[in-house]
Amino acid sequence: MKKFFKAIIPVAIIAVIIVACVGCVEQKTNLEKLSEHTSYMQNALYTAADDNFDVALSVITQEEHFIADGKTDKIMEISTLTLTPHNVDTLSNTYEYTIKGSKSSATGSISKNKLGINLACKVENISELGDLESLTLTLGETSIEYTLANLCPAECDGENALEIAYTHYQEKIDTALADNSFDRECYVKLLTQTEEEGRYFWYVSFIKDKGDYWSAIVDPQTKEVINARESK
């Protein structure tokens, strides 16, 4: 009997410790839970321009194959370099590029996009470069250098925009998260307002499917929702 108690007591102590540790685990906030439901997040949008090209380098964390179905799966970083030419004759060219960052540089080639009137390519492991500084395009003996500017405002980035939109729909979202009925994915993208050149806004959507979503337009300057829509 003594041996039995000697065996049981350590097991009981371990069980108590496990229960205590579980109780000590910090619970996730609803905003943190939303981050786990985010299937598209614009992390950066670098741009530049001259008489040759409009340059855009978009850095996004998203599903490998984004589908508006309310689910989040296989999240990865996808970076796309796009050159929109001012002269369509340049579409037939293939340029070598060098992207310089604060930590390192990346090189590759870029040619015509099969789906549009521009040149485009994917850039791998761009987060390893640090803050991006410049892009150099080379064709034969000719090189063009661009200084890159990130349009995503540091004072209100995509995560901030998600929080602002969450606050706008907080009652609906909190209720759904509380009873485990939240079946939406979060989509955060930087948008331009064409009628006012140089003004950018965040578009945030909580998507169940293509016909069922809650969306908000966030002004990064005022950090307010300036427009909102519920499709259903």
Side-chain angles (χ1 to χ4, degrees), residues 78-179:
I78 299 177
S79 305
T80 306
L81 174 62
T82 304
L83 307 176
T84 303
H86 294 178
N87 184 344
V88 294
D89 292 341
T90 60
L91 286 171
S92 60
N93 296 331
T94 296
Y95 294 85
E96 301 300 315
Y97 72 78
T98 298
I99 299 172
K100 180 183 177 183
S102 58
K103 295 181 180 179
S104 61
S105 299
T107 60
S109 62
I110 183 169
S111 56
K112 185 180 181 303
N113 184 1
K114 295 179 180 179
L115 301 178
I117 308 178
N118 54 37
L119 297 87
C121 69
K122 301 294 184 184
V123 182
E124 301 295 332
N125 303 318
I126 200 164
S127 59
E128 298 177 2
L129 306 184
D131 294 329
L132 304 188
E133 299 171 352
S134 66
L135 167 72
T136 301
L137 300 176
T138 302
L139 181 64
E141 300 298 321
T142 303
S143 292
I144 312 170
E145 184 171 348
Y146 297 89
T147 299
L148 298 174
N150 187 4
L151 298 181
C152 291
E155 67 276 10
C156 184
D157 62 11
E159 294 290 348
N160 298 137
L162 177 62
E163 181 176 4
I164 293 166
Y166 158 66
T167 301
H168 183 83
Y169 290 110
Q170 186 167 0
E171 183 176 352
K172 286 177 173 288
I173 293 173
D174 285 355
T175 299
L177 287 173
D179 62 14

Side-chain angles (χ1 to χ4, degrees), residues 7-17:
I8 290 296
I9 290 174
V11 174
I13 292 173
I14 292 173
V16 170
I17 292 173

Side-chain angles (χ1 to χ4, degrees), residues 37 69-72 173 176-177 179-186 206-209 212 214:
H37 285 271
D69 58 2
K71 301 175 183 179
T72 303
I173 293 173
L177 287 173
D179 62 14
N180 294 318
S181 64
F182 188 78
D183 55 357
R184 297 174 183 272
E185 56 189 314
C186 307
F206 305 99
I207 306 169
K208 183 174 183 178
D209 55 47
D212 187 350
W214 311 330

Side-chain angles (χ1 to χ4, degrees), residues 16-27:
V16 170
I17 292 173
I18 292 174
V19 171
C21 289
V22 170
C24 291
V25 173
E26 186 175 350
Q27 296 297 311

